Amino acid sequence: MFPAAKVAALGRIMHRFATMENATQYELRLASRMSRLGTETAFEVLSKARALERQGRSIVHLEIGEPDFDTPPNVVEAGVEALRKGWTHYGPSAGQPELRQAIAHYVSRTRGVPVTSDEVVVVPGGKPIIFFSILALIDVGDEVIYPNPGFPIYESMINYVGARPVPIQLREERDFSPDVNQFASLINDRTRLIILNSPQNPTGGVLSKEDIHDIADAIGDRNIMVLSDEIYSRLIFEGEPFSIMSIPGFKERTILLDGFSKTYAMTGWRMGYGVMRPDLAAHMTRLMTNSNSCTASFTQVAGVEALNGDQSSVDHMRAEFRRRRDVFVAGLNRIQGFSCRMPRGAFYTFPNITKTGCPSKKLANALLDEAGVACLSGTSFGDFGEGYLRFSVANSLENLNEALQRIRQWTTKNL
Ligand SMILES: Cc1ncc(COP(=O)(O)O)c(C=O)c1O
């Protein structure tokens, strides 16, 4: 037992930390741009759900977008071995030459376009490619077209640099692919960047080859860059992956974003990459030098093994996500007020909940607080996400069935 005086002193220290915000006479003066920076609600819901768990509540976690599988053992071994061999120092800002080469081969093979390693920049996760592309290419007042509902970091970063966000609404009746006529009408002389994401977060929509050709036709020969976020490229259940990068005339106008987080269950390793024309790659590398210096060296050694080694875990994870998707979508469609299309890629389901009569955010909060199911409001992905919820199926079938049962019970009682 601690003596009472020590406990009291500890209490005073804890109180001081708790009230630290008020403990200074110096007002926190943030740069005005910070008021324009958004966030990713998944992390907030996760911390709220964890707080409820600490109070003894049981929560099924379907909020966060990460595979529940472990990183494949051959990749872990390569990382551990790399640490033992001393891959613990700074490396080149654009990435280790072996990894850039492996990525160049992989992208050439999977996208059907020749890529060389000077077109590859390795960064800590897929996100920095969004951050750096927008920082490098977009000025105040420029326009950026991006999917809505869509990954929230696009809109956050567009606002952050003082550009104009131009959302293209993804509609359920079009299986969440953009209407090309509407898309064409949004392009003008101020458009500097178009963001595509397929397979898509949060809807699970996959752009068909025809859709992508139509989009390319709408862009024509304008000098507009395309950021093609293909982080879920290995998680397609129906249809073939296709990148705008492979359309003649588009390679030099495309920044391909891909990475290791989703494909190899490596979210915590922080490793992703961009493929782009070499002159732009040099500027991205400068942004890396200014921000991170380099991506962690030993993780890059593991990255080479991930790309070149046995791929059976990727196939296994995809088959498992597909099985869970089928069960979960069927279950959602049996719940009063819910209707859900079959997502064709990624590991999300995006049911329409308008018939429940509840706004999305209110319903997501109620499901967490009262039913013990953590999910995200469609509005976490932009205004056009109203009327939807996002559930990740990156959880066991047992937990997914438990979530369905809890939601069913809640709706029966409350709607
Ligand atoms: C569409 C999309 N792009 C990029 C990312 C970022 O991935 P990473 O964790 O590798 O930074 C995510 C992560 O959820 C995503 O959903």
Side-chain angles (χ1 to χ4, degrees):
M1 283 284 281
F2 277 157
K6 266 200 179 160
V7 173
L10 195 63
R12 279 197 300 278
I13 292 169
M14 296 304 286
H15 179 73
R16 180 111 194 277
F17 273 116
T19 55
M20 208 136 173
E21 244 183 315
N22 304 324
T24 172
Q25 57 177 308
Y26 301 105
E27 181 198 350
L28 179 62
R29 294 192 305 195
L30 286 175
S32 59
R33 73 176 83 86
M34 282 306 286
S35 66
R36 301 193 300 266
L37 191 65
T39 187
E40 198 183 340
T41 321
F43 289 100
E44 285 161 19
V45 175
L46 177 66
S47 80
K48 184 174 167 195
R50 291 250 158 90
L52 288 171
E53 282 175 322
R54 281 195 295 278
Q55 290 165 21
R57 294 275 312 280
S58 150
I59 306 291
V60 183
H61 288 275
L62 305 183
E63 74 278 43
I64 198 88
E66 71 168 340
D68 54 320
F69 299 101
D70 289 330
T71 304
N74 59 317
V75 179
V76 173
E77 270 317 304
V80 171
E81 180 75 2
L83 277 172
R84 292 219 171 87
K85 284 190 170 153
W87 287 90
T88 51
H89 300 273
Y90 288 132
S93 294
Q96 300 287 353
E98 297 78 2
L99 180 59
R100 293 174 80 197
Q101 187 67 58
I103 292 168
H105 281 149
Y106 171 75
V107 173
S108 306
R109 209 170 59 239
T110 51
R111 277 42 175 218
V113 253
V115 167
T116 51
S117 53
D118 60 341
E119 296 171 309
V120 176
V121 183
V122 180
V123 294
K127 261 183 188 163
I129 292 297
I130 303 170
F131 204 98
F132 294 163
S133 300
I134 290 176
L135 278 184
L137 297 172
I138 307 303
D139 270 323
V140 174
D142 287 345
E143 295 190 5
V144 181
I145 300 176
Y146 67 103
N148 187 324
F151 188 48
I153 301 307
Y154 308 142
E155 193 178 280
S156 164
M157 280 306 298
I158 299 165
N159 283 324
Y160 186 60
V161 299
R164 184 163 170 259
V166 181
I168 169 94
Q169 181 173 6
L170 303 184
R171 293 173 201 274
E172 185 182 351
E173 57 273 21
R174 297 187 50 83
D175 247 341
F176 299 110
S177 67
D179 174 334
V180 178
N181 291 329
Q182 195 200 347
F183 180 82
S185 72
L186 299 176
I187 301 176
N188 64 40
D189 291 345
R190 290 180 301 279
T191 310
R192 289 292 307 276
L193 181 70
I194 291 168
I195 302 178
L196 303 178
N197 174 213
S198 175
Q200 213 243 354
N201 178 9
T203 64
V206 174
L207 291 173
S208 68
K209 195 170 176 177
E210 293 71 42
D211 287 333
I212 296 176
H213 270 286
D214 288 347
I215 291 169
D217 287 346
I219 298 170
D221 60 5
R222 292 181 177 88
N223 188 2
I224 295 174
M225 292 295 288
V226 178
L227 172 60
S228 184
D229 184 342
E230 301 177 20
I231 194 116
Y232 298 99
S233 59
R234 297 283 287 278
L235 282 169
I236 295 187
F237 308 118
E238 275 110 44
E240 289 298 307
F242 183 74
S243 176
I244 193 164
M245 186 184 212
S246 59
I247 296 181
F250 273 86
K251 188 182 161 204
E252 65 208 293
R253 287 181 285 164
T254 302
I255 302 163
L256 170 85
L257 180 165
D258 204 341
F260 297 80
S261 301
K262 319 286 177 176
T263 304
Y264 299 100
M266 291 177 76
T267 46
W269 293 68
R270 307 313 300 140
M271 187 165 43
Y273 54 87
V275 178
M276 66 211 81
R277 49 198 274 178
D279 51 356
L280 179 56
H283 293 291
M284 289 262 189
T285 303
R286 216 148 44 94
L287 282 165
M288 266 301 284
T289 308
N290 276 269
S291 54
N292 300 278
S293 293
C294 62
T295 304
S297 299
F298 68 94
T299 65
Q300 296 188 58
V301 177
V304 174
E305 172 61 24
L307 287 178
N308 294 346
D310 178 21
Q311 300 295 299
S312 57
S313 4
V314 180
D315 299 334
H316 168 72
M317 285 191 268
R318 185 177 41 245
E320 195 53 36
F321 286 136
R322 187 191 179 119
R323 206 158 71 93
R324 297 169 183 184
R325 170 201 73 164
D326 292 348
V327 170
F328 200 68
V329 169
L332 285 175
N333 281 324
R334 284 196 290 271
I335 294 174
Q336 186 192 339
F338 282 58
S339 71
C340 189
R341 291 209 167 213
M342 192 57 89
R344 289 185 292 144
F347 40 63
Y348 307 111
T349 57
F350 201 60
N352 184 322
I353 49 87
T354 43
K355 293 213 171 96
T356 62
C358 276
S360 300
K361 183 114 182 75
K362 196 166 162 218
L363 185 56
N365 285 340
L367 289 179
L368 176 58
D369 293 333
E370 296 163 28
V373 177
C375 66
L376 299 183
S377 162
T379 50
S380 302
F381 301 92
D383 293 344
F384 294 126
E386 182 53 82
Y388 298 88
L389 294 179
R390 190 196 81 171
F391 295 91
S392 158
V393 293
N395 206 326
S396 66
L397 262 185
E398 192 190 349
N399 285 339
L400 289 169
N401 279 321
E402 172 66 24
L404 287 169
Q405 196 187 328
R406 291 183 185 191
I407 302 168
R408 209 173 301 124
Q409 271 167 2
W410 186 90
T411 51
T412 311
K413 194 166 147 216
N414 294 283
L415 296 182

